[in-house]
Amino acid sequence: MMSRETAWRIFAGELNSSSLEKKGEEERSPVYVITPLGTRLNRVLIAGVLLDKQNIGTDEEPLWRARIEDVSGSYFVNVGRYEPEAAAAMAGMETPSFVAVIGKIRTYRPDETRVLVSIRPEKIVRIDALTRQRIVLETAQATWKRLNNMKIALSMPDASAEDLAVHGMTKDDAEGAIEAAEFYGTPESSKYLKLIQNSLRMLLPDSDIDLGLPEEVTDLPDEIEIEERSGISDVDKEDLMLNILGELDDGRGAPMNDIKNRAAAEGISDTELEEMISTLLDKGLAYEPVLGRLKKI
């Protein structure tokens, strides 16, 4: 069973600045979009405000185009008959409303100089303000990490991925940073720091947050402390999910409907549940014995 691609947290401002595509070396490998900060994207998890939606298809075969706004700009979403669950959810969505989307990245080249990036949802759900804030915080932290990875890569221009791994990067992080540096050059760090700064100001409106906005990525401090005010750790989430799977397993695996009901009772949103299940599948801690059931290993 092939593992699922990571659902990366990324602001619209970084996603829409991306124009480098690369296909994996193996047969039927997915196509990745490499961002200016070195992220190799295939799937994303985004959150924002659904501002516009339009059915450009028919009532029988709807094709929805939507715009979702975050602190840095707009994500563009296309969903049709190949994503029936997401299409049905989109049909019932009201504007404006807070939503989260897990989906695949798609690109379109209207001419030789432009690349337009959109998201094809696997799942779209309404979320509350707290869930939106949690995803925004995770995205800010991930963006800061990518900025610092680029800082390290640019300070070692002849380094290999193995050399960068010594500094704490994964193989994918290191290869993405090298490819981004070669294709885009030095990123405009003040642009991405403003994305982080604006997101933190939204999360902490009564705080006077000023990141200093250095002009070059090499001026970045090595780390930033962002206090998480609520939620449980990733390790605790994994343990909780494995316990739920064990309790609900009737020998054939735990039914997804029962998992969802139990997760809701634990205060876990649909979006968080999807990510937790994806993590267990990615790590080989669980598998799907049949469609609609999940079993821990």
Side-chain angles (χ1 to χ4, degrees), residues 100-297:
V101 174
I102 295 175
K104 296 285 187 70
I105 297 298
R106 291 292 179 265
T107 60
Y108 169 65
R109 294 180 178 270
D111 53 51
E112 294 183 357
T113 61
R114 291 187 298 159
V115 177
L116 304 180
V117 184
S118 65
I119 301 171
R120 191 187 75 190
E122 301 167 1
K123 191 177 188 67
I124 178 169
V125 295
R126 288 191 185 91
I127 56 175
D128 58 23
L130 182 60
T131 302
R132 180 202 182 200
Q133 289 173 346
R134 186 178 299 119
I135 295 173
V136 169
L137 175 58
E138 291 172 354
T139 306
Q141 292 172 313
T143 305
W144 185 269
K145 179 181 178 182
R146 293 196 285 270
L147 271 168
N148 275 289
N149 283 346
M150 286 303 299
K151 172 186 175 180
I152 295 169
L154 290 168
S155 71
M156 303 169 61
D158 298 322
S160 64
E162 290 74 16
D163 295 330
L164 295 179
V166 175
H167 294 268
M169 295 189 204
T170 66
K171 182 175 181 289
D172 283 345
D173 286 343
E175 291 178 349
I178 291 171
E179 290 166 336
E182 291 176 350
F183 184 80
Y184 299 104
T186 301
E188 185 184 350
S189 56
S190 60
K191 168 184 175 179
Y192 297 104
L193 280 170
K194 285 177 181 176
L195 304 188
I196 298 170
Q197 181 170 273
N198 290 342
S199 68
L200 297 181
R201 286 176 174 174
M202 183 198 78
L203 295 171
L204 304 169
D206 297 327
S207 301
D208 185 16
I209 295 175
D210 184 357
L211 300 182
L213 302 181
E215 291 302 318
E216 297 294 336
V217 71
T218 50
D219 297 330
L220 283 173
D222 291 332
E223 60 182 327
I224 182 173
E225 294 185 5
I226 307 174
E227 180 182 356
E228 293 199 49
R229 297 188 166 186
S230 61
I232 59 176
S233 70
D234 291 340
V235 174
D236 290 338
K237 288 179 181 179
E238 288 180 13
D239 290 342
L240 175 60
M241 279 305 304
L242 290 173
N243 288 336
I244 291 174
L245 296 185
E247 292 174 11
L248 297 177
D249 192 342
D250 60 5
R252 298 174 296 159
M256 283 304 304
N257 285 339
D258 292 348
I259 295 172
K260 289 180 180 180
N261 291 337
R262 177 63 184 278
E266 296 286 347
I268 299 170
S269 69
D270 286 347
T271 302
E272 289 178 301
L273 177 62
E274 175 73 16
E275 276 302 288
M276 291 160 72
I277 290 174
S278 293
T279 297
L280 295 182
L281 293 172
D282 290 345
K283 291 186 174 182
L285 299 175
Y287 69 103
E288 297 169 292
V290 296
L291 187 64
R293 287 180 176 263
L294 200 63
K295 193 175 185 70
K296 73 174 184 178
I297 296 175

Side-chain angles (χ1 to χ4, degrees), residues 89-104:
M90 180 67 77
M93 293 283 178
E94 297 179 354
T95 57
S97 59
F98 290 144
V99 297
V101 174
I102 295 175
K104 296 285 187 70

